[in-house]
Amino acid sequence: MNYFRTLVSVLSLPLLMFTSCSSTHESEEQAAAADWSGYDVGTIVFVDDAPSSRGSEIYHELIPDPESYIREQARVVLSTLYFSPNDSITPVEEILYTLEDRDGISAKGGGDGQVQVYYSTRYIEKVFAEDPSSERMLFETRGVLLHELTHAYQLEPQGIGTYGTNKTFWALIEGVADAVRVVNGGFKGPQDRPVGGHYMDGYRHAGYFFAWLQENKDPDFIKKLNLSTLELNPWSFEEAFKLILGNEADPEALWTEYQASL
Ligand SMILES: [Zn+2]
């Protein structure tokens, strides 16, 4: 199963450095984030399959230690999708991350704990040609990575078929992946936010909508949406929204409210 991305972008990394804190007044946020520092995100294996490409050269200049970098972003993703390491989290044994000289941007494949993600050196070259700043390249690389890593750790809806056979399944999976990117500063804000369409269009349509719901309706919306897949069978947007936001919640009405706010 491959999750292909079509769109993108990034921002400065909130470097999550946690040191042991002797203060008894550690904030809840710090405490919650610190919890993930010991979580086993799986073995990260980085393989450069295009070492002679310009894209590879650009990547390595930006990211000298890819495995640490990916691990760090994995914890950002996990802390966005889950309340704590004690939740029922999709187990990931290994993430094989490859740089490849191929078309496309980046995609996740694999399953059953063995995940593969490729990142295209041609895409790196394309982004670099448009804006040869390391800031821009790192922003883009991090944004794409947050999206693909979400696919590794997110939960999947039950009772409605598969990613390839069911549009609701697909829209949720791609919407949550872009939502994680949105709320972690992985897109260029309103500039990247689509107007119109529908949340069933997935990706940024759904992603920015979920982020708006998190901002305006429930500060834990994305976590609850992810976890709703464990509670609902068959899963649907209608039932998930009721579960998270109350029986009166209607995805269509909220979508209309969201669009009106743009
Ligand atoms: Zn995707």
Side-chain angles (χ1 to χ4, degrees), residues 18-61:
F18 299 105
T19 50
S20 58
C21 183
S22 57
S23 166
T24 52
H25 301 290
E26 194 175 13
S27 78
E28 263 182 43
E29 197 184 332
Q30 281 172 323
D35 285 342
W36 292 100
S37 61
Y39 185 80
D40 181 7
V41 302
T43 304
I44 311 291
V45 179
F46 174 86
V47 176
D48 186 348
D49 282 333
S52 57
S53 69
R54 175 72 181 121
S56 161
E57 194 183 356
I58 294 164
Y59 183 91
H60 287 289
E61 272 170 28

Side-chain angles (χ1 to χ4, degrees), residues 2-6 102 106-108 118 147-148 151 163 170 174 203:
N2 281 298
Y3 301 132
F4 292 98
R5 283 215 82 262
T6 50
R102 57 181 283 179
S106 188
K108 173 260 186 187
Y118 84 81
H147 178 106
E148 301 305 339
H151 289 325
Y163 179 86
W170 169 86
E174 295 300 351
Y203 291 111

Side-chain angles (χ1 to χ4, degrees), residues 5-12 69 105 119 123 127 130 135-147 178 180-182 184-189 191-193 204 208:
R5 283 215 82 262
T6 50
L7 281 161
V8 205
S9 320
V10 185
L11 160 109
S12 63
Y69 182 72
I105 299 176
Y119 190 30
Y123 181 67
V127 171
E130 286 165 8
E135 233 177 359
R136 167 78 184 124
M137 197 66 240
L138 197 57
F139 183 83
E140 187 65 22
T141 296
R142 177 174 178 264
V144 170
L145 181 60
L146 288 171
H147 178 106
D178 267 358
V180 168
R181 184 170 174 177
V182 170
N184 288 295
F187 279 115
K188 287 176 279 180
Q191 193 185 331
D192 281 339
R193 183 180 58 207
R204 289 178 300 147
Y208 272 94

Side-chain angles (χ1 to χ4, degrees), residues 27-207:
S27 78
E28 263 182 43
E29 197 184 332
Q30 281 172 323
D35 285 342
W36 292 100
S37 61
Y39 185 80
D40 181 7
V41 302
T43 304
I44 311 291
V45 179
F46 174 86
V47 176
D48 186 348
D49 282 333
S52 57
S53 69
R54 175 72 181 121
S56 161
E57 194 183 356
I58 294 164
Y59 183 91
H60 287 289
E61 272 170 28
L62 274 178
I63 302 169
D65 182 354
E67 285 162 4
S68 298
Y69 182 72
I70 294 164
R71 210 173 290 122
E72 183 188 311
Q73 300 307 321
R75 294 205 169 97
V76 171
V77 167
L78 283 160
S79 67
T80 309
L81 288 174
Y82 297 96
F83 287 97
S84 95
N86 300 321
D87 287 351
S88 295
I89 299 170
T90 304
V92 172
E93 234 172 87
E94 182 185 285
I95 296 177
L96 172 62
Y97 189 90
T98 53
L99 288 187
E100 297 183 25
D101 183 7
R102 57 181 283 179
D103 287 335
I105 299 176
S106 188
K108 173 260 186 187
D112 293 326
Q114 300 291 323
V115 175
Q116 299 112 41
V117 175
Y118 84 81
Y119 190 30
S120 162
T121 54
R122 290 180 204 175
Y123 181 67
I124 294 169
E125 288 157 21
K126 181 174 164 281
V127 171
F128 196 74
E130 286 165 8
D131 178 356
S133 69
S134 52
E135 233 177 359
R136 167 78 184 124
M137 197 66 240
L138 197 57
F139 183 83
E140 187 65 22
T141 296
R142 177 174 178 264
V144 170
L145 181 60
L146 288 171
H147 178 106
E148 301 305 339
L149 286 175
T150 300
H151 289 325
Y153 298 104
Q154 73 189 148
L155 296 163
E156 298 189 339
Q158 304 179 73
I160 57 168
T162 66
Y163 179 86
T165 62
N166 182 280
K167 198 170 177 204
T168 297
F169 191 117
W170 169 86
L172 177 70
I173 292 295
E174 295 300 351
V176 168
D178 267 358
V180 168
R181 184 170 174 177
V182 170
V183 301
N184 288 295
F187 279 115
K188 287 176 279 180
Q191 193 185 331
D192 281 339
R193 183 180 58 207
V195 176
H198 194 267
Y199 58 84
M200 285 294 285
D201 297 331
Y203 291 111
R204 289 178 300 147
H205 287 93

